[in-house]
Amino acid sequence: MSNNETIFEKILRGEIPCKKVFENEHCLAFHDISPQAPTHILVIPKRKIVNVMEAGDEDAQLLGEVLLAARSVAKQEGLDATGYRLVFNNGADGGQSVDYLHCHVLGGRALAWPPG
Ligand code: AMP
């Protein structure tokens, strides 16, 4: 488990700018700096969870808030009609590069499967 501060904590504090698209009491959503699809947004909880593997029972509600925020973001960005993908990368083999739980909201084109 990593307790080191990540770039997302700096974004939450406003120390590093982001292109914010959604915010509520529990979550913040902003454009990914390196988009992998026409729409690529990250949703993060305002309280740190490292990843799904590290989440505890006490995080159940906040994890739900992340999913609901991701749905709101997708709707706001007009992805409802055509669909979209939500991704949580977990750990090294999952391709997680930032140790702060985040949900990728990807859409705007047909996405391939398997992801590789
Ligand atoms: P992951 O590889 O699942 O941990 O995803 C981390 C994501 O954070 C990557 O898609 C990066 O492009 C994105 N990212 C890294 N730094 C920033 C930043 N400063 N602002 C927005 N997105 C970022």
Side-chain angles (χ1 to χ4, degrees), residues 58-102:
E58 69 281 8
D59 297 320
Q61 187 178 344
L62 187 53
L63 290 170
E65 293 288 350
V66 171
L67 282 177
L68 292 177
R71 183 180 67 178
S72 296
V73 165
K75 187 165 190 183
Q76 182 184 305
E77 298 298 311
L79 301 177
D80 275 36
T82 47
Y84 53 89
R85 186 171 294 166
L86 304 181
V87 174
F88 293 83
N89 291 328
N90 276 268
D93 278 4
Q96 183 175 10
S97 63
V98 178
D99 288 335
Y100 190 121
L101 182 136
H102 48 283

Side-chain angles (χ1 to χ4, degrees), residues 8-88:
F8 292 169
E9 282 139 301
K10 294 191 170 93
I11 286 174
L12 271 171
R13 284 204 304 269
E15 251 173 73
I16 289 182
C18 73
K19 288 190 190 166
K20 181 165 82 173
V21 295
F22 174 93
E23 183 171 16
N24 67 13
E25 186 190 345
H26 306 286
C27 299
L28 175 72
F30 49 89
H31 284 280
D32 195 293
I33 205 165
S34 175
Q36 303 301 312
T39 301
H40 187 175
I41 291 164
L42 302 174
V43 180
I44 65 172
K46 289 187 173 175
R47 175 169 62 73
K48 185 176 187 178
I49 301 172
V50 171
N51 57 32
V52 174
M53 293 187 293
E54 300 284 349
D57 291 348
E58 69 281 8
D59 297 320
Q61 187 178 344
L62 187 53
L63 290 170
E65 293 288 350
V66 171
L67 282 177
L68 292 177
R71 183 180 67 178
S72 296
V73 165
K75 187 165 190 183
Q76 182 184 305
E77 298 298 311
L79 301 177
D80 275 36
T82 47
Y84 53 89
R85 186 171 294 166
L86 304 181
V87 174
F88 293 83

